[in-house]
mmCIF file with all atom_site columns, all heavy atoms in Angstrom:
data_model
loop_
_atom_site.group_PDB
_atom_site.id
_atom_site.type_symbol
_atom_site.label_atom_id
_atom_site.label_alt_id
_atom_site.label_comp_id
_atom_site.label_asym_id
_atom_site.label_entity_id
_atom_site.label_seq_id
_atom_site.pdbx_PDB_ins_code
_atom_site.Cartn_x
_atom_site.Cartn_y
_atom_site.Cartn_z
_atom_site.occupancy
_atom_site.B_iso_or_equiv
_atom_site.pdbx_formal_charge
_atom_site.auth_seq_id
_atom_site.auth_comp_id
_atom_site.auth_asym_id
_atom_site.auth_atom_id
_atom_site.pdbx_PDB_model_num
ATOM 1   N N   . ASP G 1 168 ? -22.810 43.495 -39.907 1.00 0.00 ? 518 ASP G N   1
ATOM 2   C CA  . ASP G 1 168 ? -23.842 42.560 -39.462 1.00 0.00 ? 518 ASP G CA  1
ATOM 3   C C   . ASP G 1 168 ? -23.463 41.098 -39.694 1.00 0.00 ? 518 ASP G C   1
ATOM 4   O O   . ASP G 1 168 ? -24.309 40.214 -39.555 1.00 0.00 ? 518 ASP G O   1
ATOM 5   C CB  . ASP G 1 168 ? -25.161 42.845 -40.195 1.00 0.00 ? 518 ASP G CB  1
ATOM 6   C CG  . ASP G 1 168 ? -25.684 44.242 -39.915 1.00 0.00 ? 518 ASP G CG  1
ATOM 7   O OD1 . ASP G 1 168 ? -25.485 44.726 -38.786 1.00 0.00 ? 518 ASP G OD1 1
ATOM 8   O OD2 . ASP G 1 168 ? -26.277 44.849 -40.827 1.00 0.00 ? 518 ASP G OD2 1
ATOM 9   N N   . GLN G 1 169 ? -22.194 40.838 -40.028 1.00 0.00 ? 519 GLN G N   1
ATOM 10  C CA  . GLN G 1 169 ? -21.833 39.488 -40.446 1.00 0.00 ? 519 GLN G CA  1
ATOM 11  C C   . GLN G 1 169 ? -21.960 38.458 -39.322 1.00 0.00 ? 519 GLN G C   1
ATOM 12  O O   . GLN G 1 169 ? -22.306 37.297 -39.582 1.00 0.00 ? 519 GLN G O   1
ATOM 13  C CB  . GLN G 1 169 ? -20.409 39.467 -41.001 1.00 0.00 ? 519 GLN G CB  1
ATOM 14  C CG  . GLN G 1 169 ? -19.315 39.727 -39.981 1.00 0.00 ? 519 GLN G CG  1
ATOM 15  C CD  . GLN G 1 169 ? -17.939 39.768 -40.630 1.00 0.00 ? 519 GLN G CD  1
ATOM 16  O OE1 . GLN G 1 169 ? -17.762 40.326 -41.706 1.00 0.00 ? 519 GLN G OE1 1
ATOM 17  N NE2 . GLN G 1 169 ? -16.956 39.154 -39.969 1.00 0.00 ? 519 GLN G NE2 1
ATOM 18  N N   . VAL G 1 170 ? -21.688 38.826 -38.091 1.00 0.00 ? 520 VAL G N   1
ATOM 19  C CA  . VAL G 1 170 ? -21.724 37.849 -37.007 1.00 0.00 ? 520 VAL G CA  1
ATOM 20  C C   . VAL G 1 170 ? -23.131 37.281 -36.849 1.00 0.00 ? 520 VAL G C   1
ATOM 21  O O   . VAL G 1 170 ? -23.326 36.060 -36.825 1.00 0.00 ? 520 VAL G O   1
ATOM 22  C CB  . VAL G 1 170 ? -21.231 38.474 -35.680 1.00 0.00 ? 520 VAL G CB  1
ATOM 23  C CG1 . VAL G 1 170 ? -21.456 37.501 -34.525 1.00 0.00 ? 520 VAL G CG1 1
ATOM 24  C CG2 . VAL G 1 170 ? -19.748 38.832 -35.785 1.00 0.00 ? 520 VAL G CG2 1
ATOM 25  N N   . THR G 1 171 ? -24.128 38.159 -36.759 1.00 0.00 ? 521 THR G N   1
ATOM 26  C CA  . THR G 1 171 ? -25.494 37.672 -36.582 1.00 0.00 ? 521 THR G CA  1
ATOM 27  C C   . THR G 1 171 ? -26.004 36.963 -37.829 1.00 0.00 ? 521 THR G C   1
ATOM 28  O O   . THR G 1 171 ? -26.728 35.963 -37.723 1.00 0.00 ? 521 THR G O   1
ATOM 29  C CB  . THR G 1 171 ? -26.436 38.834 -36.221 1.00 0.00 ? 521 THR G CB  1
ATOM 30  O OG1 . THR G 1 171 ? -26.319 39.862 -37.225 1.00 0.00 ? 521 THR G OG1 1
ATOM 31  C CG2 . THR G 1 171 ? -26.073 39.417 -34.871 1.00 0.00 ? 521 THR G CG2 1
ATOM 32  N N   . ARG G 1 172 ? -25.609 37.455 -38.986 1.00 0.00 ? 522 ARG G N   1
ATOM 33  C CA  . ARG G 1 172 ? -26.094 36.837 -40.228 1.00 0.00 ? 522 ARG G CA  1
ATOM 34  C C   . ARG G 1 172 ? -25.496 35.446 -40.421 1.00 0.00 ? 522 ARG G C   1
ATOM 35  O O   . ARG G 1 172 ? -26.174 34.519 -40.880 1.00 0.00 ? 522 ARG G O   1
ATOM 36  C CB  . ARG G 1 172 ? -25.755 37.741 -41.420 1.00 0.00 ? 522 ARG G CB  1
ATOM 37  C CG  . ARG G 1 172 ? -26.387 39.118 -41.354 1.00 0.00 ? 522 ARG G CG  1
ATOM 38  C CD  . ARG G 1 172 ? -27.747 39.175 -41.999 1.00 0.00 ? 522 ARG G CD  1
ATOM 39  N NE  . ARG G 1 172 ? -27.660 39.197 -43.433 1.00 0.00 ? 522 ARG G NE  1
ATOM 40  C CZ  . ARG G 1 172 ? -27.479 40.298 -44.170 1.00 0.00 ? 522 ARG G CZ  1
ATOM 41  N NH1 . ARG G 1 172 ? -27.354 41.496 -43.574 1.00 0.00 ? 522 ARG G NH1 1
ATOM 42  N NH2 . ARG G 1 172 ? -27.433 40.234 -45.466 1.00 0.00 ? 522 ARG G NH2 1
ATOM 43  N N   . PHE G 1 173 ? -24.230 35.282 -40.074 1.00 0.00 ? 523 PHE G N   1
ATOM 44  C CA  . PHE G 1 173 ? -23.599 33.964 -40.204 1.00 0.00 ? 523 PHE G CA  1
ATOM 45  C C   . PHE G 1 173 ? -24.108 32.999 -39.133 1.00 0.00 ? 523 PHE G C   1
ATOM 46  O O   . PHE G 1 173 ? -24.235 31.803 -39.377 1.00 0.00 ? 523 PHE G O   1
ATOM 47  C CB  . PHE G 1 173 ? -22.076 34.076 -40.130 1.00 0.00 ? 523 PHE G CB  1
ATOM 48  C CG  . PHE G 1 173 ? -21.438 34.547 -41.406 1.00 0.00 ? 523 PHE G CG  1
ATOM 49  C CD1 . PHE G 1 173 ? -20.441 35.501 -41.390 1.00 0.00 ? 523 PHE G CD1 1
ATOM 50  C CD2 . PHE G 1 173 ? -21.831 34.035 -42.625 1.00 0.00 ? 523 PHE G CD2 1
ATOM 51  C CE1 . PHE G 1 173 ? -19.851 35.947 -42.569 1.00 0.00 ? 523 PHE G CE1 1
ATOM 52  C CE2 . PHE G 1 173 ? -21.253 34.468 -43.808 1.00 0.00 ? 523 PHE G CE2 1
ATOM 53  C CZ  . PHE G 1 173 ? -20.266 35.428 -43.772 1.00 0.00 ? 523 PHE G CZ  1
ATOM 54  N N   . GLU G 1 174 ? -24.373 33.519 -37.942 1.00 0.00 ? 524 GLU G N   1
ATOM 55  C CA  . GLU G 1 174 ? -24.870 32.647 -36.878 1.00 0.00 ? 524 GLU G CA  1
ATOM 56  C C   . GLU G 1 174 ? -26.223 32.042 -37.252 1.00 0.00 ? 524 GLU G C   1
ATOM 57  O O   . GLU G 1 174 ? -26.531 30.908 -36.856 1.00 0.00 ? 524 GLU G O   1
ATOM 58  C CB  . GLU G 1 174 ? -24.975 33.417 -35.563 1.00 0.00 ? 524 GLU G CB  1
ATOM 59  C CG  . GLU G 1 174 ? -23.624 33.602 -34.871 1.00 0.00 ? 524 GLU G CG  1
ATOM 60  C CD  . GLU G 1 174 ? -23.755 34.301 -33.529 1.00 0.00 ? 524 GLU G CD  1
ATOM 61  O OE1 . GLU G 1 174 ? -24.903 34.529 -33.096 1.00 0.00 ? 524 GLU G OE1 1
ATOM 62  O OE2 . GLU G 1 174 ? -22.711 34.612 -32.928 1.00 0.00 ? 524 GLU G OE2 1
ATOM 63  N N   . LYS G 1 175 ? -27.022 32.772 -37.996 1.00 0.00 ? 525 LYS G N   1
ATOM 64  C CA  . LYS G 1 175 ? -28.312 32.239 -38.441 1.00 0.00 ? 525 LYS G CA  1
ATOM 65  C C   . LYS G 1 175 ? -28.126 31.037 -39.358 1.00 0.00 ? 525 LYS G C   1
ATOM 66  O O   . LYS G 1 175 ? -28.941 30.116 -39.367 1.00 0.00 ? 525 LYS G O   1
ATOM 67  C CB  . LYS G 1 175 ? -29.110 33.327 -39.150 1.00 0.00 ? 525 LYS G CB  1
ATOM 68  C CG  . LYS G 1 175 ? -29.617 34.420 -38.228 1.00 0.00 ? 525 LYS G CG  1
ATOM 69  C CD  . LYS G 1 175 ? -30.396 35.463 -39.003 1.00 0.00 ? 525 LYS G CD  1
ATOM 70  C CE  . LYS G 1 175 ? -30.897 36.574 -38.082 1.00 0.00 ? 525 LYS G CE  1
ATOM 71  N NZ  . LYS G 1 175 ? -31.652 37.610 -38.826 1.00 0.00 ? 525 LYS G NZ  1
ATOM 72  N N   . VAL G 1 176 ? -27.037 31.051 -40.128 1.00 0.00 ? 526 VAL G N   1
ATOM 73  C CA  . VAL G 1 176 ? -26.751 29.936 -41.044 1.00 0.00 ? 526 VAL G CA  1
ATOM 74  C C   . VAL G 1 176 ? -26.078 28.794 -40.304 1.00 0.00 ? 526 VAL G C   1
ATOM 75  O O   . VAL G 1 176 ? -26.438 27.628 -40.456 1.00 0.00 ? 526 VAL G O   1
ATOM 76  C CB  . VAL G 1 176 ? -25.870 30.416 -42.215 1.00 0.00 ? 526 VAL G CB  1
ATOM 77  C CG1 . VAL G 1 176 ? -25.471 29.243 -43.104 1.00 0.00 ? 526 VAL G CG1 1
ATOM 78  C CG2 . VAL G 1 176 ? -26.612 31.470 -43.029 1.00 0.00 ? 526 VAL G CG2 1
ATOM 79  N N   . ARG G 1 177 ? -25.095 29.115 -39.475 1.00 0.00 ? 527 ARG G N   1
ATOM 80  C CA  . ARG G 1 177 ? -24.318 28.087 -38.784 1.00 0.00 ? 527 ARG G CA  1
ATOM 81  C C   . ARG G 1 177 ? -25.052 27.533 -37.571 1.00 0.00 ? 527 ARG G C   1
ATOM 82  O O   . ARG G 1 177 ? -24.814 26.391 -37.160 1.00 0.00 ? 527 ARG G O   1
ATOM 83  C CB  . ARG G 1 177 ? -22.984 28.671 -38.316 1.00 0.00 ? 527 ARG G CB  1
ATOM 84  C CG  . ARG G 1 177 ? -22.077 29.150 -39.426 1.00 0.00 ? 527 ARG G CG  1
ATOM 85  C CD  . ARG G 1 177 ? -20.911 29.924 -38.838 1.00 0.00 ? 527 ARG G CD  1
ATOM 86  N NE  . ARG G 1 177 ? -19.985 30.388 -39.857 1.00 0.00 ? 527 ARG G NE  1
ATOM 87  C CZ  . ARG G 1 177 ? -19.196 31.458 -39.704 1.00 0.00 ? 527 ARG G CZ  1
ATOM 88  N NH1 . ARG G 1 177 ? -19.256 32.145 -38.578 1.00 0.00 ? 527 ARG G NH1 1
ATOM 89  N NH2 . ARG G 1 177 ? -18.373 31.819 -40.667 1.00 0.00 ? 527 ARG G NH2 1
ATOM 90  N N   . GLY G 1 178 ? -25.893 28.337 -36.963 1.00 0.00 ? 528 GLY G N   1
ATOM 91  C CA  . GLY G 1 178 ? -26.570 27.934 -35.744 1.00 0.00 ? 528 GLY G CA  1
ATOM 92  C C   . GLY G 1 178 ? -25.787 28.261 -34.493 1.00 0.00 ? 528 GLY G C   1
ATOM 93  O O   . GLY G 1 178 ? -26.312 28.225 -33.393 1.00 0.00 ? 528 GLY G O   1
ATOM 94  N N   . LYS G 1 179 ? -24.507 28.567 -34.652 1.00 0.00 ? 529 LYS G N   1
ATOM 95  C CA  . LYS G 1 179 ? -23.657 28.923 -33.519 1.00 0.00 ? 529 LYS G CA  1
ATOM 96  C C   . LYS G 1 179 ? -22.406 29.589 -34.064 1.00 0.00 ? 529 LYS G C   1
ATOM 97  O O   . LYS G 1 179 ? -22.081 29.451 -35.238 1.00 0.00 ? 529 LYS G O   1
ATOM 98  C CB  . LYS G 1 179 ? -23.270 27.683 -32.703 1.00 0.00 ? 529 LYS G CB  1
ATOM 99  C CG  . LYS G 1 179 ? -22.513 26.636 -33.510 1.00 0.00 ? 529 LYS G CG  1
ATOM 100 C CD  . LYS G 1 179 ? -22.175 25.424 -32.650 1.00 0.00 ? 529 LYS G CD  1
ATOM 101 C CE  . LYS G 1 179 ? -21.423 24.373 -33.478 1.00 0.00 ? 529 LYS G CE  1
ATOM 102 N NZ  . LYS G 1 179 ? -21.087 23.195 -32.664 1.00 0.00 ? 529 LYS G NZ  1
#
Side-chain angles (χ1 to χ4, degrees):
D518 299 326
Q519 68 183 41
V520 172
T521 55
R522 299 270 284 275
F523 281 136
E524 282 183 6
K525 290 180 181 179
V526 175
R527 297 170 179 154
K529 59 181 180 180

